[in-house]
Amino acid sequence: QFIAQYNRSRSPGRLGSAHQYKAFQESIQRQHALNSLPSDLLVEKGSATYGINQFSDLAPELFRATYLCSKPSELPKYKPFDSEVKRLH
Amino acid sequence: LPTRFDWRDKNVVTRVRNQGSCGGCWAFSVVEVIESAYAIKGKPLQTFSAQEVIDCSYKDGGCNGGSPVSALKWLNQTKTRLVTESMYPFKAKTGMCHHFPMSTFGISIKGYQAYSFRHKEEEMMHKLLEWGPLIAVVDAVSWQDYLGGIIQHHCSPEESNHAVVITGYDRTGDIPYWIVRNSWGSTWGIDGFVHIKMKRNVCGIADSVAAGFV
């Protein structure tokens, strides 16, 4: 289903490589863990759900290296007064 | 403040994009807030070129990564005009910076603002309405597996690594949440969007926030 839905047609009937297949299996385990909150955490209505999507055949390291490529900046804390003064200037 | 607000309802948000295997989220976030700022001014909603920012913002790393604030600083200092997406299409790889004649349509920014709103998400809501959609840099490691719903756990405010755009918020239900636009295509998440719980700086949503003005 994953191969058909996400057009992974390199090797019909199987995930394209052993790495991808391993990553896919690990994704399923990881998603199960993400969906199972510890009992001490309040499980509120509307909580996020995790499961198979287009990134499920990527190893986490590859996902991070490919898609998570932005850096935060050291920014001043917002102070309403400062902003007003700047605007008046 | 209204209990629910989303700039999409004002028709000032362009379609969700897909950055493919290019780490250019920082450039997409910058271009997307400028598109919205331009449309909020009453101009036609149109898509501008993320590829131009990827190729030309020389202090950033193209498809290897960058910072939205650095790109806004570059746009503001150089007054570089962003041309339309059709003039400078997305290639999903870093290329040479193209320059266009002055006769080519493009827009430059008049300025930008960038702050940390940690512990001040109420103020951030005001700024969303005042400034337009906001850029935020968040921890998106667990988003690899996200399908839908409101993210409340499984991400850190200390390890921000991905630039996105906040288009709105919703406080009508039990859990108030930010409405956040991603650049991983419309098949990811909730039609390309993700919902993040408000008020506790979940995923670092309030730590690195910016807006551009046209």
Side-chain angles (χ1 to χ4, degrees), chain A residues 36 40 46 65 72 76:
Chain A
S36 313
D40 59 326

Side-chain angles (χ1 to χ4, degrees), chain A residues 3 7-12 14-17 20 57:
Chain A
I3 288 166
N7 201 24
R8 305 293 204 272
S9 54
R10 293 179 202 100
S11 177
R14 300 185 65 173
L15 283 174
S17 71
Q20 280 173 296
D57 61 344

Side-chain angles (χ1 to χ4, degrees), chain A residues 30-31 34 44-51 53-55 58 63-64 67-71 73 76 78 80 86, chain B residues 20 65-69 115-117 120 123 127 141 144-148 150 152 154 161-162 175 184 188 208:
Chain A
R30 190 177 60 242
Q31 289 152 13
L34 287 168
E44 292 160 296
K45 194 180 168 190
S47 273
T49 54
Y50 301 88
N53 65 15
Q54 68 263 46
F55 301 125
L58 287 181
F63 172 79
R64 288 175 208 190
Y67 293 96
L68 307 182
C69 300
S70 189
K71 289 170 285 185
S73 302
Y78 178 75
K86 272 183 195 166
Chain B
S67 152
V69 174
Y115 288 104
S116 165
F117 284 89
K120 288 181 180 162
E123 295 281 4
K127 293 302 164 195
V141 168
Q144 179 176 3
D145 302 297
Y146 177 75
L147 294 181
I150 304 166
Q152 303 172 62
H154 305 313
N161 43 46
H162 182 52
I175 309 166
W184 295 344
W188 179 87
S208 189

Side-chain angles (χ1 to χ4, degrees), chain B residues 123-203:
Chain B
E123 295 281 4
M124 202 166 129
M125 290 160 68
H126 281 278
K127 293 302 164 195
L128 176 76
L129 270 67
E130 186 185 333
W131 292 344
L134 303 171
I135 298 166
V137 183
V138 296
D139 170 27
V141 168
S142 68
W143 298 15
Q144 179 176 3
D145 302 297
Y146 177 75
L147 294 181
I150 304 166
I151 293 186
Q152 303 172 62
H153 312 288
H154 305 313
C155 58
S156 163
E158 309 301 335
E159 294 169 36
S160 299
N161 43 46
H162 182 52
V164 289
V165 173
I166 303 170
T167 65
Y169 63 83
D170 192 333
R171 297 191 294 179
T172 56
D174 293 340
I175 309 166
Y177 60 85
W178 294 107
I179 300 167
V180 177
R181 172 190 185 169
N182 203 348
S183 52
W184 295 344
S186 57
T187 58
W188 179 87
I190 308 162
D191 299 325
F193 282 69
V194 50
H195 295 164
I196 299 177
K197 186 176 180 174
M198 297 176 88
K199 303 249 173 102
R200 287 187 193 164
N201 196 26
V202 174
C203 304

